[in-house]
Amino acid sequence: MVSLLVLYNGHWEKDGADMLVEEQEQVFSYMARLGPTTKHQSRRNDITSAILYFNADKKKRVVAALCLWMNRARRRSHLYENKLQNIVERRGLKQEDLPIILERLKKQAKK
């Protein structure tokens, strides 16, 4: 599990974020409910309609959600910078060491 998080979590990528996992969970949760409700119906049309509805609904909310997340990230950035600095100092590292450590973790995770 840790290997997958190191290799494929957006948190580790430059300009990435953790939101993709949350988004996938919401989509899977929504789609999982369609199985029992379309059991005796024409599944293809019903599921296609549900996907189109889900995407249209998501598009309506995306601008507000992105603004909310951006503002939240801006407010918390100073807190996270301080947290990172404390962790780095406690372990006797420099921030310049972090990309090297990340590459080592990725190599180890691929084994």
Side-chain angles (χ1 to χ4, degrees):
M1 180 67 173
V2 173
S3 298
L4 292 175
L5 288 174
V6 169
L7 292 175
Y8 302 113
N9 191 343
H11 178 79
W12 296 103
E13 299 303 318
K14 183 171 174 35
D15 301 324
D18 278 333
M19 299 312 296
L20 181 61
V21 174
E22 184 178 320
E23 175 71 17
Q24 288 173 330
E25 287 175 1
Q26 289 177 2
V27 171
F28 295 152
S29 170
Y30 180 80
M31 298 305 287
R33 287 181 262 155
L34 296 177
T37 59
T38 61
K39 188 174 181 181
H40 301 294
Q41 301 169 7
S42 148
R43 276 190 169 194
R44 188 176 308 153
N45 292 336
D46 290 338
I47 291 176
T48 301
S49 297
I51 291 169
L52 292 173
Y53 172 78
F54 183 82
N55 284 339
D57 186 50
K58 189 171 71 170
K59 279 183 185 178
K60 288 179 197 171
R61 294 179 286 132
V62 76
V63 173
L66 288 174
C67 291
L68 176 74
W69 295 336
M70 177 60 118
N71 289 332
R72 188 180 299 156
R74 282 185 179 150
R75 284 193 311 268
R76 293 180 180 174
S77 66
H78 186 66
L79 170 72
Y80 291 134
E81 285 174 14
N82 290 340
K83 241 180 173 179
L84 175 63
Q85 189 60 39
N86 289 339
I87 292 169
V88 167
E89 287 174 3
R90 250 187 290 137
R91 296 184 185 265
L93 301 168
K94 295 181 233 155
Q95 285 202 11
E96 296 82 36
D97 298 334
L98 296 179
I100 297 164
I101 293 169
L102 176 59
E103 288 308 311
R104 284 187 197 160
L105 285 171
K106 285 182 176 180
K107 284 181 185 174
Q108 183 66 29
K110 287 180 181 178
K111 290 182 181 179

